[in-house]
Amino acid sequence: MGLMSASDARPTREDLADEERAIVREEEDTLARLERRLAADLEQEPDRIEDLDAQMIELRDAIAEAKEEDVASLIDQMHQVAALRNKRGKGRSIPLDPKNPYFGHMRLEDASTGRVRDVLIGRHTLLDDGSGLSVVDWRNAPVSRLYYRYEEGDEYEEEFDDRTLEGTVLVRRAVAIHEGELRRISCPQGTFARTRGGTWRKAVGSARPTLAGGAGAALRYDRNRLGIGGEDDAPRADKHLQEITALIDPRQFELITQPESGIVLIQGGAGSGKTTVALHRVAYLAYQDPRRFAPHKMMVVVFNDALVEYIKYVLPSLGVDGVKVTTYRRWTADVLRRLRLPLPKARSEQTPEAVARFKKHPAMIRAIEALVDEKCESVAEELAERVGEAAAQAWRADARPPVARVRALRTLAHKVATSAPARTNLDSILSEAERTFLDVVEDYLELNTNPERIRRTIASWAPGDFSDREVEQIVSWCARKADLLDAEEGADLPDPALPDEEDDVILLRLLQLQAGGIFVGGRRLEYEHLVIDEAQDLCALEVRVLLDCASAGKSITIAGDRAQKMIFDNSFTDWPELLEQAGLPHTEIEPLEITYRSTRPIMEFSRHVLGGLASGEPAIVARDGAPVAYFGFGDTGECVAHLAEALRDLMQREPNASVALIARYPQQADVYYQALRLAEVPKLRRVAHQDFKFTPGIDVTDVRQVKGLEFDYVVLLDVSAHNYPDNDQARHLLHIAATRAAHQLWVLNAGPPSPLLPVELVETGLFGEMAEEEAADAIEGPDVEHAAAGGADTAGRRASP
């Protein structure tokens, strides 16, 4: 096996200052030293580097001879290798990927001994063989905590195995290594990137999380030019969500490493890393306890199919392959298919808004519980009448789900039914009760088709939430579901008679309450860890069903942002209400306060759009950038001509760029796509069903397709008063569309501008531009320092080359 050497075709460093050249040279030399170590190991002792058993023996011998201060670290490494061996058996596996051996570099000075050592942070462990280099696993080695919790120059104090270690972090750098080649270095002195031309240059833009300031990109900004990169930029071609282990900030690391049991609710704005934290938490748990948190015992639920595709490459890159990543609708449909309930597979495509809102309302939780309680009380009354009061009391005293109660009472037949007729009646009642408690279709129809029950549900638990007209519409629509009772298998039912999408979760909740869970093939469907992403777009009943699919340990990560709400019929207002309705009162909310994806001007624009819906404090933004630009036109044709020219120019200059042209409605996206296609804009794609390719190019789509995704550049199409009026729904949607942009945002319009747009933007054409003296202060003043942890620019956080 041949390994590339970092010294081969080493780039020049002429664009850097002396101190910056020294940093690049040092990191190149570090990589070269490690590559020589790996090459020598593979050539001279191939079995030793590949054999996990041999590593265990080496560690055992090292512990016997080690100094006291090194014992804890060596024991930790032995535990790690043992876990790997148990997981893989006695197979052989190269511990480091030579193409990407590590992502972080620390130099530590021990306070008690004065010893200085270099530690590399990666995804596997490689012991120091005397060369002065070691690699530790970010998920397990105690020393990795220092990388995530401390900055360069900080003094550290940590408890490791009941011992306190103190010292100073002399160097802390994040590096990006691709195909064995050092591509990027992020540290307090700056972010340095290797260009396609082979030179090193300092990346533009402040990497320190800040509410103002930056590196003056606005001073060099051409308003009429889309794109901020130059000919030497080499953005990555793969636009899937990237794992960013190297650049996790201290707060994110704290959430990732929360105790394995319990519920973690992460609230954060667009681009704050909620999904990334949740996925890294999955990887962390799988590593800490591979038996409990095996991939097939975990599930990630995301908002839409595009997000499934977007993140599916992340977990394998973190060493966890086989975790189910799905949408809520896809999951419920799959479970119901496996349950083989006597219902059509098709779902209504014309469900009225009021009906959907009723079925997602928290009142539905109460209505389901009330129905089950009624059925249980009916069984109790029949037992009292036909068997005796002792049987009824035994039934009422049992707090378990009804099916478990039925089976338990059968074992008490000799105690509660003393005569033969009583025992016969008991068996008859319990058999019928078990059948009815398992027949959730009958219960679902009772909830849906009984007008009196529907009206009672609304009056009792949703007073004032539905108008009289909406109540009548709900009753009328739901009554049509009664046709399901008489329909033959495979019958072609009219749309109103088909189950609604919202009915799936009602069926599952009925099963959970009555059978004690969802049983497929005789086994209870449950997960050791659940990730619920974009939870603000789920209703309380949907969250409740997922929570009850967690194992007894209740290990759950919930992530969301109330400002990115896209579903407006689910009664979500804020986290405390949702959690209480879902059965999780008093759950602590963990905030992520730093935004990494979008630039300061984009986030300020998005906050303005939200208006009164914005949270109390603005997010801390990691970097500055080009101001938001506005272009007003007399008609769509003029707008298309301007846009086509800008896009052709951009694709020529930055062929690896990803661009989203986001319209409010699909029909508008169709118009722009056809017009731009006639204008021969290259790499143009129409995305109408979340079928993003995640490759460089231009996606023409609508706002409901892009939730949770990220693009280098975003152009908002026809941001008019008609498309985005002054209401909460329009504010949420425009905010979501704008915050998909990582580097630059354009706003285009042909007609009266939306009242949600800043007046400054419409009048001057720019928003968020730094004053010249403000930019100069940002460049020359003390705030120009770059924070490597949690402060790298977006390109770095996405591990871009």
Side-chain angles (χ1 to χ4, degrees), residues 558-576:
I558 302 175
D561 175 19
R562 63 181 183 181
Q564 295 187 69
K565 181 177 177 181
M566 184 169 278
I567 303 300
F568 301 98
D569 59 4
N570 64 351
S571 301
F572 175 86
T573 54
D574 207 346
W575 294 114

Side-chain angles (χ1 to χ4, degrees), residues 646-680:
L647 291 171
R648 287 192 297 265
D649 177 59
L650 174 66
M651 287 293 100
Q652 184 176 4
R653 288 182 289 106
E654 299 184 40
N656 277 345
S658 64
V659 186
L661 311 183
I662 305 176
R664 173 66 178 85
Y665 299 104
Q667 297 85 347
Q668 295 166 340
D670 288 337
V671 170
Y672 274 88
Y673 172 74
Q674 294 298 336
L676 292 170
R677 189 170 64 86
L678 292 175
E680 298 184 344

Side-chain angles (χ1 to χ4, degrees), residues 245-265:
T245 312
L247 295 154
I248 292 168
D249 67 32
R251 180 59 177 147
Q252 292 172 334
F253 183 71
E254 182 181 344
L255 292 176
I256 289 167
T257 56
Q258 286 278 326
E260 60 188 34
S261 295
I263 296 170
V264 177
L265 172 59

Side-chain angles (χ1 to χ4, degrees), residues 203-353:
V204 174
S206 174
R208 173 183 287 271
T210 178
L211 286 172
L219 295 177
R220 298 184 292 277
Y221 173 67
D222 182 352
R223 173 178 178 269
N224 294 300
R225 187 176 184 179
L226 187 61
I228 62 172
E231 293 181 359
D232 285 336
D233 284 324
R236 62 182 177 87
D238 181 5
K239 302 299 180 179
H240 288 88
L241 179 65
Q242 301 293 298
E243 57 96 355
I244 56 163
T245 312
L247 295 154
I248 292 168
D249 67 32
R251 180 59 177 147
Q252 292 172 334
F253 183 71
E254 182 181 344
L255 292 176
I256 289 167
T257 56
Q258 286 278 326
E260 60 188 34
S261 295
I263 296 170
V264 177
L265 172 59
I266 306 169
Q267 154 69 29
S272 61
K274 299 180 299 297
T275 304
T276 298
V277 168
L279 297 180
H280 278 73
R281 179 158 167 72
V282 168
Y284 177 80
L285 293 174
Y287 188 85
Q288 295 297 317
D289 190 347
R291 182 182 295 274
R292 176 184 173 188
F293 296 106
H296 70 278
K297 296 180 180 179
M298 297 190 283
M299 181 170 71
V300 179
V301 180
V302 299
F303 175 69
N304 56 29
D305 290 328
L307 272 170
V308 173
E309 175 66 20
Y310 189 44
I311 69 173
K312 73 177 185 180
Y313 293 99
V314 178
L315 288 172
S317 72
L318 293 173
V320 186
D321 202 356
V323 175
K324 185 181 185 69
V325 182
T326 185
T327 66
Y328 200 95
R329 294 282 174 253
R330 190 186 290 182
W331 176 71
T332 55
D334 178 61
V335 172
L336 289 172
R337 176 186 59 79
R338 294 161 65 191
L339 289 172
R340 301 181 183 277
L341 297 180
L343 286 171
K345 293 181 181 178
R347 293 294 180 265
S348 173
E349 298 180 355
Q350 302 172 16
T351 308
E353 185 274 337

Side-chain angles (χ1 to χ4, degrees), residues 156-174:
Y156 64 84
E157 180 178 345
E158 288 286 335
E159 296 287 337
F160 293 153
D161 295 328
D162 299 325
R163 297 170 59 246
T164 300
L165 295 184
E166 300 179 45
T168 304
V169 179
L170 302 179
V171 167
R172 186 198 179 283
R173 298 167 187 159

